[in-house]
Structures are given as C-alpha cells and as structure tokens.
Amino acid sequence: MSYKGLDLEQDAAALTAQLVDFPSESGSEKPLADAVEAALRDLPHLRVDRYGNNVVARTDLGRAERVILAGHIDTVPAADNVPSRLDDDGVLWGCGTSDMKSGVAVQLRVAATVPAPLRDLTFVFYDNEEVDASLNGLGHLAAAHPDWLAGDFAVLLEPSSGQVEGGCQGTLRVLLRTEGTRAHSARGWLGVNAIHAAEPVLARLAAYEPRRRVIDGLEYREGLNAVRVEGGVAGNVIPDECVVTVNFRYAPDRSPEEALAHVREVFAGCGVAELTVADSSPGALPGLAHPAAAAFVAAVGGEPKPKYGWTDVSRFSALGVPAVNYGPGDPNLAHKRDEHVRTETVLHCEAALRDWLTG
Amino acid sequence: MSYKGLDLEQDAAALTAQLVDFPSESGSEKPLADAVEAALRDLPHLRVDRYGNNVVARTDLGRAERVILAGHIDTVPAADNVPSRLDDDGVLWGCGTSDMKSGVAVQLRVAATVPAPLRDLTFVFYDNEEVDASLNGLGHLAAAHPDWLAGDFAVLLEPSSGQVEGGCQGTLRVLLRTEGTRAHSARGWLGVNAIHAAEPVLARLAAYEPRRRVIDGLEYREGLNAVRVEGGVAGNVIPDECVVTVNFRYAPDRSPEEALAHVREVFAGCGVAELTVADSSPGALPGLAHPAAAAFVAAVGGEPKPKYGWTDVSRFSALGVPAVNYGPGDPNLAHKRDEHVRTETVLHCEAALRDWLTG
C-alpha cells in the first residue's frame, strides 16, 4: 500500500486526519515511519536518525537546555473506524485520533514550524507502544542509542486532554502462594486447607491504609489490591495451594526495590509460603521543579495532575530525564471504537507548545 | 464380543476373575447384564426382573425380614489391566477386582448357594455407578420400581476391606459470591475489591469448629471447607466478583435442609451477596440398631466404622432402608492401574454372608 507524503504545511488537526488515514497498527509501522522520516529529512534544521521503525530528529543550536517531544506512531487494530471522519462540530473520529496521532501531528507541526526554538529540541517517533513492553520502540532506543534521548525534560504527547500529567506511579505485581495438604473433603481433618490459609493475606489487604504522597505539588495516591485469587483442585478435595495476585501501585518516590520491600513487610508473618514477583515497572518523578518543566507548565497553563497508571514517561525517568504527559487526545477514548478528538484541542496544544518554545 | 456364560459353581475368587475378564466399562454393561440375568434365571428359587441393564433377583420364602445385597456391575475404563492375573501370593490383579467385581461375585455366589436363607433376599445388580449420578442404575430402579428395592436392611458390596461401614455423610456444595465494583488498579479507590470482601468468608471457615456426632455407636466427623476460590478480571483491574465454593460434609442426623440452614447461619452477616447451592446429597443413617443389621454385624465380625464420603447407601436410606457398605475390595485401590484384591478376603466375605443368612 502506498500513501502520499505527509504534508506538514497543514495545521495539526488536518495533519491528524492524514495520519489516521495512514494505518499503522503495531507491527506494521514501517510505511508511516518511512513517511515521517522523509518529511523530517525535508527540514534542513534537523538532524534525522533512524533505528528500526523509530525516527529521531534533533536541532543542534547550542541552547542551554534540550527538551524532548516524544510519541508513538502505532495504534491498536482499527475497529471499522478508519478512514477518519470530521463531523460538523469539529470532532475528528477514527482509530488513533486520541491515542495518539493527534499528538504525533503536534510533534510534526512543531518540528516543521519552529526552526529556531529557545531550547534545543529532540523529536522521538517510536513503534510498538500498544503491545508487549519487550517490543516497545522507546525501550529499544533507550538501550541502543541512549545519547539520542539525552535531554533536560521530556514531554510525551500521550492523550491527557490537554492537561499536564506529571510522572507516573510505579506498579508491582506479586504472587502470594499459600500451601496446604490435599485430602478428600469427606476426611478434611487429614488435610490442611490452603484457601483457608489465605485468610490473613486478605485480612492485611482489607485493612491496608494506602499512603498519599505529595511530590512537586502533585498528590499521588497509592493502592494495594488483590487482582486475582485462584485455588482449588476439585469439588471434593482440600486444596493444597492458593495464589493471591496483588498489585501495588506506588508513588514515584519509592524505587521498585523499596516497593517490593514494603509489600514483603505488609505480608510478613501471615503464612505466605512463597512470594514471587510477576512484574515490576518503576514510577517516574514528575520533575516539575526543573526550570524547563516549570516554564512548560506556565506556558501550557492549567493545573498539573499526577498520572495514575504507568506510561513511557518512566522510560525517560530511568534515563534521568524528568518527563510529563501532555497531549490533545482524551485518554478515556483510547482503544475505543468511537475514539475521537476535538480539533480545537489539537490546535490549542500545537499553539501552546509553540509558545513555550518560542517565548 | 461374546463371553461364555458365568459359572456360579466356582468359588467367589475364581468367579471374580471371570467377571473381570468380562469388560463392562460404564455405558457398556449390556453383555454382562445379559450374562448375570441368564445365570440367575437358571436358579429356580429366584424371581428375576430386569430394567435396562439393571437386574433384580428375589427369593419369596415369606420370611419375617428381607435383606438386600446390592452392587454395581460397571467399572471405570481399564488401564491395560485386563484380563486379570492371579499371582503366587493369591492376589488377583485387574480392573474391577476391588471396585467391585469381587463384591458382585460374592452376591452371585450367595444367590446360587443359599436357596433357603433365614431372611428373604433381594439381589440388585446395577449399571453406571462410576459416572454421572443422573445415569446411576440404582437411582433409575428406585424411581421406576421402588417395590423391587423394598427391604429391612441393605448391604452394598462396595470395597470396604471386609469391614462394615455404616451409613454415609451428607454432602452440600454452595457458592458464596462477594461483589465489588471494577476500577483500574491505578485508581483503586474508585472501586470496591470483591476479593478483599471475601476475607470474612475465609475467616469463618478458618475458625469453624466441626462437630463430631455419634450415631449407632459410630462417630461421624463433619467438615466445612473451601474447595475452590476464584476471582479476578485482569492484572490491572479491581475485581468486582469473587466466588468461594464451600463443601460441607455432615453427619447423617442432619437433613439436607438442615445442613443448608447451618451453612447459611455460619456465613450470616459476612457480606456474601449471593449463596447458591451447587449440589446436595443426603447422608444415610447407619441403621445398625435394626435387628437384621445387628445380626449382620455379629456374623461378619469386626468393629463397624462410619463411612466418610458419599455412597449409594444413601439411595437406600432415602427409600427408608438402612444400609451399610461391606465388601471384599480395598477402597484405596479403586480406579488405580494396580487395582487388586486378596482372594482370601473374597472367600472370607462370601463365607461371612452365607453364615449370616443360614444361621
């Protein structure tokens, strides 16, 4: 399939429509990566690098600070909602309108229209964000070319309804296994019931008082929850195993190691035979105290909020780059058949970033 | 496939071997039912009736009491352990040796060799005991021809290692469902965790003190156990449902209704949104106080034990006929590849029943 080249002369709303009409489901990003690369190479003020289907473009003006504008170019599979459709109310409908081709359009417009920013700029376009973390293009870039991602502050243009969302929570999932001894339930006294043994685990969860922590003025609410419980062999057998899966969402002032130590402490002495880490992803500090970040917040306006959930900002955080989410899409519409975006929000976002970068 | 007729002249051990070599997996009992019927019709002192693959033979001597000897003719699928094999130590190996063709052999031998018993006799041979309860031939007989099953006392020749096992426990399974409200686990405070809500259910189970009840000299131990727990939507979702499956095994002085009322009482006030009965089977009183039963226990010797687990004796109990398990097989070998029976136990069982019935 071939698509005409991207037209960076049109505004970010029109460009969003062109990007949506250029399908790029995860794993099939190459044509769009090619088009993005070609459009950027037409801009003489940018150095363009490519790694796989990830494209990085940088100014090199010797400014005191460097900021990064990043976004993923893949989408979830379309749901009969491509090509895009602009309705009479200025709402653009289609797969990726919110998550996050509107953000990518804003990146491309800033790249094309701000040749001499106050801060050096790095534009990152990456693939495979919507699928398994091991495929994530930003992760691949961070591993292969961390120097391409150097900077003082990063803005990830994920959908945030045009509001600044600072940092992100960390997430840790552990399996808490209790043990027992099988027996026929007609002779239950010969066994030890592993489901009954899970009672203290649930009691700790039910009694847990989650912490609230203010960082850079943002309040992070933690949470410790059972997200799964499984036990049982057959309807007439005392079960010898029960597993409670617990998800700890924690404020980014804890490291993953500290989060795990906390979870171990919470469940200490309640008869857990084995605690296994299923997965762990660090949080990201909002970094709003950084001058570039403060200037950004002042320029785009609104009240920054903490990000609940895990996003790729934490990949920047792991590289030592404070990062926020700020994008025109609506996060509640992501991955939905009726996904859409308000074109005025896209234009507002484009203008706000340009203001920040041109003073 | 055709097999030669059953030879009721040989002793019960040899007859067991002939029966084992006559495969009768559940659902394929017709040839064996035909052979049993034919052999019984050769005995002039018996009236023989048939319903499906169930065969009932009765004396009609006008005795003051009537006792029933019952057994199922089906087996679980063979596991490369047919035909039978008699080793040098007098152990017979093969599918059904213990469960329960040795018991069926004893029934047939008593039928053939005790033409004038002190008590009128009813022999019941039935199909589909090893499969779903709805297929059980004894259940079908009880529904279609309860008069064929009339009697004062029944002996079910299920494997009991030649010991009298009186009555059986009842069993009740209920599903206890707790409810919550889904939310993303990053914003857990927006939800209500149904797994956490199951904690009081597990607490009641862990604290439960099961009753012990002596009936006709036999001690029944009850038990209340979680046999399954299931809850969880996804690794990042506060679950809105959790279901604990509880199995109550109860002494036969409780009716199923009383057992359910007890379980409702145990879990009252601990936040269960819904209690559903998954299955319920009544227990059976041992009935050892009945004169025929007392005479039986005296004749076969040993110390009667309570039966833990549910057996077809409760079907007799439901018809008002006290019943016990007493058979030559070893219950621990049932359904195993290395299933076997000691021939001396089979012969002892045959002799003990003959003694009881001939004084």
Side-chain angles (χ1 to χ4, degrees):
Chain A
M1 213 178 293
S2 101
Y3 298 89
K4 64 173 195 238
L6 298 176
D7 175 8
L8 305 192
E9 299 288 315
Q10 56 193 334
D11 69 29
L15 183 54
T16 300
Q18 191 183 5
L19 289 167
V20 170
D21 297 345
F22 203 134
S24 57
E25 181 181 332
S26 307
S28 305
E29 297 93 335
K30 185 174 184 301
L32 181 54
D34 291 348
V36 167
E37 181 184 357
L40 293 170
R41 286 200 189 279
D42 285 342
L43 303 171
H45 62 284
L46 293 177
R47 170 193 167 137
V48 179
D49 291 293
R50 177 157 174 167
Y51 178 68
N53 290 322
N54 306 294
V55 181
V56 177
R58 287 173 282 179
T59 62
D60 187 13
L61 302 166
R63 304 295 195 229
E65 292 177 336
R66 174 174 293 279
V67 297
I68 301 168
L69 301 182
H72 63 85
I73 60 172
D74 62 319
T75 69
V76 295
D80 296 325
N81 53 357
V82 168
S84 63
R85 177 175 65 82
L86 180 66
D87 71 17
D88 294 341
D89 297 321
V91 174
L92 183 70
W93 300 75
C95 178
T97 45
S98 263
D99 185 15
M100 59 168 280
K101 286 181 168 173
S102 51
V104 171
V106 169
Q107 286 177 270
L108 289 169
R109 282 289 290 167
V110 172
T113 62
V114 188
L118 294 176
R119 299 170 178 89
D120 267 312
L121 289 176
T122 299
F123 300 92
V124 180
F125 302 88
Y126 62 100
D127 67 353
N128 281 318
E129 192 273 345
E130 299 289 5
V131 287
D132 191 84
S134 66
L135 301 173
N136 186 292
L138 188 61
H140 293 179
L141 279 174
H145 297 287
D147 52 310
W148 297 1
L149 302 180
D152 299 289
F153 178 60
V155 177
L156 194 61
L157 283 95
E158 284 275 9
S160 72
S161 297
Q163 296 206 302
V164 179
E165 293 180 335
C168 78
Q169 293 170 305
T171 176
L172 169 68
R173 252 178 293 272
V174 297
L175 308 182
L176 303 173
R177 193 167 65 82
T178 53
E179 287 182 348
T181 307
R182 282 194 201 189
H184 195 290
S185 65
R187 293 174 293 278
W189 59 91
L190 299 178
V192 177
N193 196 310
I195 295 176
H196 299 191
E199 186 271 328
V201 170
L202 299 194
R204 298 278 168 95
L205 284 165
Y208 185 77
E209 295 279 354
R211 200 178 62 139
R212 296 181 180 211
R213 183 86 171 91
V214 176
I215 304 170
D216 287 358
L218 308 188
E219 185 185 62
Y220 288 87
R221 294 180 68 165
E222 298 190 328
L224 185 69
N225 272 283
V227 290
R228 181 165 296 282
V229 60
E230 281 183 297
V233 175
N236 60 356
V237 176
I238 306 299
D240 57 350
E241 183 177 88
C242 182
V243 177
V244 182
T245 305
V246 168
N247 185 205
F248 182 38
R249 300 283 177 151
Y250 55 91
D253 63 327
R254 296 192 202 257
S255 70
E257 295 71 28
E258 288 166 345
L260 178 57
H262 177 68
V263 169
R264 285 191 191 281
E265 191 182 306
V266 168
F267 296 105
C270 66
V272 172
E274 193 180 25
L275 183 155
T276 313
V277 174
D279 56 73
S280 172
S281 300
L285 290 164
L288 297 182
H290 190 281
F296 170 75
V297 170
V300 303
E303 186 72 29
K305 294 181 176 178
K307 178 68 181 177
Y308 293 114
W310 194 88
T311 80
D312 275 338
V313 295
S314 84
R315 297 186 193 273
F316 286 107
S317 189
L319 291 167
V321 183
V324 298
N325 287 290
Y326 172 78
D330 179 340
N332 298 317
L333 298 173
H335 308 183
K336 294 195 172 167
R337 188 179 293 268
D338 66 345
E339 184 176 349
H340 56 268
V341 72
R342 297 196 66 80
T343 54
E344 66 181 352
T345 310
V346 183
L347 299 177
H348 171 80
C349 187
E350 176 187 358
L353 283 178
R354 190 180 293 113
D355 288 349
W356 171 50
L357 295 167
T358 57
Chain B
M1 212 181 295
S2 102
Y3 298 88
K4 66 175 194 237
L6 298 174
D7 175 9
L8 305 191
E9 297 289 313
Q10 54 193 337
D11 68 30
L15 182 55
T16 300
Q18 191 183 7
L19 289 167
V20 170
D21 297 345
F22 203 133
S24 58
E25 182 181 332
S26 307
S28 306
E29 297 94 333
K30 183 173 185 301
L32 182 55
D34 292 345
V36 167
E37 181 184 358
L40 294 169
R41 288 201 188 277
D42 284 343
L43 301 170
H45 62 282
L46 294 177
R47 170 192 167 136
V48 179
D49 290 294
R50 178 156 173 168
Y51 179 68
N53 289 322
N54 306 292
V55 181
V56 176
R58 288 173 282 179
T59 63
D60 188 12
L61 301 166
R63 304 295 195 227
E65 293 176 335
R66 173 174 292 279
V67 298
I68 301 168
L69 302 182
H72 63 85
I73 61 172
D74 62 320
T75 69
V76 295
D80 296 324
N81 54 357
V82 168
S84 63
R85 178 175 65 81
L86 181 65
D87 71 17
D88 293 341
D89 297 323
V91 175
L92 183 71
W93 300 75
C95 178
T97 46
S98 264
D99 186 15
M100 57 167 282
K101 286 182 168 173
S102 51
V104 171
V106 169
Q107 287 178 268
L108 289 169
R109 281 290 290 166
V110 171
T113 62
V114 186
L118 294 175
R119 300 169 176 87
D120 266 312
L121 290 175
T122 299
F123 300 93
V124 180
F125 303 88
Y126 63 99
D127 68 354
N128 281 318
E129 192 273 345
E130 299 289 6
V131 287
D132 191 85
S134 65
L135 301 174
N136 186 292
L138 188 61
H140 293 178
L141 279 174
H145 297 286
D147 52 310
W148 296 2
L149 301 179
D152 299 289
F153 178 61
V155 177
L156 195 60
L157 283 95
E158 284 274 9
S160 73
S161 298
Q163 297 205 303
V164 178
E165 293 180 336
C168 78
Q169 295 168 304
T171 177
L172 169 67
R173 251 177 295 270
V174 298
L175 308 182
L176 304 175
R177 193 166 66 82
T178 53
E179 287 181 348
T181 307
R182 283 194 200 190
H184 196 290
S185 64
R187 293 173 293 277
W189 59 91
L190 298 178
V192 177
N193 195 311
I195 295 176
H196 299 189
E199 187 271 330
V201 170
L202 299 193
R204 298 278 167 96
L205 285 165
Y208 186 77
E209 296 277 357
R211 198 178 64 139
R212 297 181 180 209
R213 183 84 171 93
V214 176
I215 304 169
D216 288 358
L218 308 188
E219 185 186 61
Y220 288 86
R221 294 180 69 165
E222 298 189 330
L224 185 69
N225 273 283
V227 290
R228 182 164 297 280
V229 60
E230 281 182 298
V233 175
N236 58 357
V237 177
I238 306 299
D240 57 350
E241 182 176 88
C242 181
V243 177
V244 181
T245 306
V246 168
N247 185 206
F248 183 38
R249 299 282 178 152
Y250 55 92
D253 63 326
R254 296 193 203 257
S255 70
E257 294 72 27
E258 289 165 345
L260 178 57
H262 177 68
V263 168
R264 285 192 192 280
E265 191 182 306
V266 167
F267 296 105
C270 63
V272 171
E274 191 180 26
L275 184 155
T276 313
V277 174
D279 56 75
S280 172
S281 300
L285 289 164
L288 297 181
H290 190 280
F296 170 75
V297 171
V300 303
E303 186 72 28
K305 295 180 175 178
K307 179 68 181 176
Y308 292 116
W310 195 88
T311 79
D312 275 338
V313 296
S314 84
R315 296 187 193 275
F316 285 108
S317 188
L319 292 168
V321 183
V324 299
N325 286 291
Y326 172 77
D330 179 342
N332 298 316
L333 299 174
H335 306 185
K336 295 194 170 166
R337 188 179 292 269
D338 66 346
E339 184 176 350
H340 56 268
V341 72
R342 299 197 64 79
T343 53
E344 67 182 352
T345 310
V346 183
L347 299 177
H348 171 81
C349 187
E350 176 186 356
L353 283 178
R354 191 180 294 114
D355 287 350
W356 170 50
L357 295 168
T358 57

